Amino acid sequence: MAQDLVALSSDYRFWMQKLSVWNQASTLETQQDTCLHLPRFQEFLRRMYEALKEMDSSTVTERFPTIGQLLAKICWNPFILAYDESQKILIWCLCCLINKDPQNSGESKLNSWTRALSSCILSTFRFDIEEVGLFTHGLGYAPTAYYPGLLKNMVSSLVSELRENHLNGFNTQRRMAPERVRSLSQVCVPLVTLPELTPLVQALLTYRGHEPQEVLHPEFFDAVNEAFLLKKIVLSTSAILCLWLRHLPSLENTMLHLFEKLITSERNFLRRIECFIKDLLLPEAACHPAIFRVADEMFRFALLETDGAPEVLAALQVFTRCFVEALEKENKQPRFAFKTYFPYSSPSLVAMLLQRPEGDPQGLWSQRLRRISEMLRETVEDQTHGSCGGPFASWFLLVHFGEWADLAAEQLLMLEAEAEPPEALLWLLAFSSSPGAGRRQRAQTMVEVRALLGRLAKLLGRPTLSAADLQAAAGAGPGGDPGAPAGQRLSRRLLLTFLLCAPGGRAAAREAIALMAQTDAIRHEIVGFLDQTLYRWDRLCVEAPRSRELARELLTELRGQA
């Protein structure tokens, strides 16, 4: 604590000198210096409050004899008062100076002074100019009502000027000079979180000049995007679209913010991921191909860096679904061809994947799955479409619409015991689980999956099942190699689908999952599968009340064990 006070005292002297310089001069240089230091100063002010609240008023004046001067200088600096939470923290500091039971006239005067200063802050601005007071009184306004109104009118005037600037084009007599627009954006940097300035912020973002280079200050873009991500400002979709189109780092930071959320928040909770993605306005903004391509490319890199992490895969699928919904809502007739969003993929394959399963009766799902599998197989193995990027590019396209592979697993498990599993569906499962495998290895995986499906089909006729029966049917896994992670994951995926869909499997589900979930990694994988299945069933309106109830119960129990 003593060391903290020593450091605080040193910082106190530094900021006291800074405030003196800022208040004595009102030049562009001092304003820029003030804006540059605002985040650090707010942090100092917060530390100051943490120290003050532990002291009584006499200790405060003894330890910081010029505390009144410091707080007064802050009160008369509009840049500090307008920045983020500085005004609120300043009021907290002033409250620490008030003595609830003053013992002498000095403490009473300090109380009166502190309350007057607090009142000054709360009224936003106050000028002791008689003419201004008479003027506002004549208009029927009190200072507390007049100055916010003045700010509102000023913002409205600037917004109108920016819009007029856009409409007038090259009419230079009525255009706002680029230097003034840039200066205005820089002045707004510490003020972007003020609700009164939101119209001006949006007008600047949507402003279109005719200069060859960007006129808005980079710090303005950074400040607006940070405030948006922290929910300190509400912007329209058009403003966000302009922000990300004009300043690529803002879009990149937004995507990194999303990935960070996936890592630090509760995993495999797709409804929460969907809400978060929609709150960021990513789906609507992604209707512009440039935004979609950048976001999609960052998802691709994230999958490569994380070796196909389930969280990233799930987020990509949720993002794609929300994007498609936004695209359909925005345009009955799309402004951009789907090839613009997926330029390296077969347009007919993209069109097929975009036809969401919930639009068709379940009887047609198998037909669509076979067609999707055939088109992918041609692209991956025959290369008839001249695809770019090899198998990974095709797999990356498929995982955007991962529900088709999940439906393939369910369709295979719903076949009659004597029915032969369609090769197209077997290939789709083998490819989705291990895109890096060669043709021969994929064919072997299909043989093993067919054998597993046959063993599971034989269990359907039994009135009761045990976990041992299911474990025996699963064997060593579809790849026949206990050390092959992709083969083991595919085996678990089919077994879990069987447990949820087959009446006999539901009875043994808890015991079977307890045997499977021997490690945290596998338990996490099972939780993700259950959450994704429920999410997909809700969207497809699948009528399976018992399976839904079981999946929800298992999901709750496994999350409780995490």
Side-chain angles (χ1 to χ4, degrees), residues 222-275:
D222 290 333
V224 171
N225 198 63
E226 182 181 3
F228 172 71
L229 294 181
L230 297 177
K231 298 188 182 231
K232 294 184 176 182
I233 185 174
V234 178
L235 296 174
S236 65
T237 303
S238 60
I240 287 295
L241 178 62
C242 289
L243 168 65
W244 292 342
L245 285 174
R246 299 175 72 165
H247 193 244
L248 180 59
S250 291
L251 175 57
E252 292 173 338
N253 286 334
T254 301
M255 293 301 299
L256 292 174
H257 184 66
L258 170 61
F259 295 146
E260 182 181 0
K261 195 77 171 179
L262 295 177
I263 295 171
T264 58
S265 65
E266 183 181 358
R267 296 178 175 182
N268 298 303
F269 200 73
L270 297 190
R271 286 296 178 190
R272 183 173 297 175
I273 294 174
E274 179 183 324
C275 291

Side-chain angles (χ1 to χ4, degrees), residues 470 494-502 505-509 512-513 516 550:
L470 294 166
L494 289 168
L495 189 57
L496 288 166
T497 304
F498 179 84
L499 290 172
L500 293 177
C501 296
R506 290 197 289 266
I513 287 178
M516 278 192 288
L550 175 63

Side-chain angles (χ1 to χ4, degrees), residues 20 332 356:
S20 298
K332 297 297 181 183
R356 296 181 294 176

Side-chain angles (χ1 to χ4, degrees), residues 45-61 64 67 71 88-101 107 110-111 113-115 118:
L45 201 58
R46 193 181 298 276
R47 287 167 50 218
M48 193 74 206
Y49 165 68
E50 294 297 330
L52 292 178
K53 70 179 183 180
E54 301 297 330
M55 307 177 189
D56 55 37
S57 59
S58 59
T59 307
V60 170
T61 52
F64 301 103
I67 185 68
L71 298 178
K88 178 175 68 176
I89 302 170
L90 175 60
I91 292 174
W92 291 348
C93 291
L94 287 169
C95 290
C96 293
L97 300 185
I98 296 177
N99 194 322
K100 295 181 180 179
D101 186 19
E107 292 181 352
L110 178 61
N111 281 358
W113 178 85
T114 304
R115 290 193 180 96
S118 301

Side-chain angles (χ1 to χ4, degrees), residues 41 78 88 118 222 225 231 254 266 294 381 414 420 445 462 477 540 555:
F41 182 77
K88 178 175 68 176
S118 301
D222 290 333
N225 198 63
K231 298 188 182 231
T254 301
E266 183 181 358
V294 172
E381 296 185 352
M414 289 168 60
E420 181 68 17
T445 300
R462 297 188 183 180
L540 299 180
L555 189 59

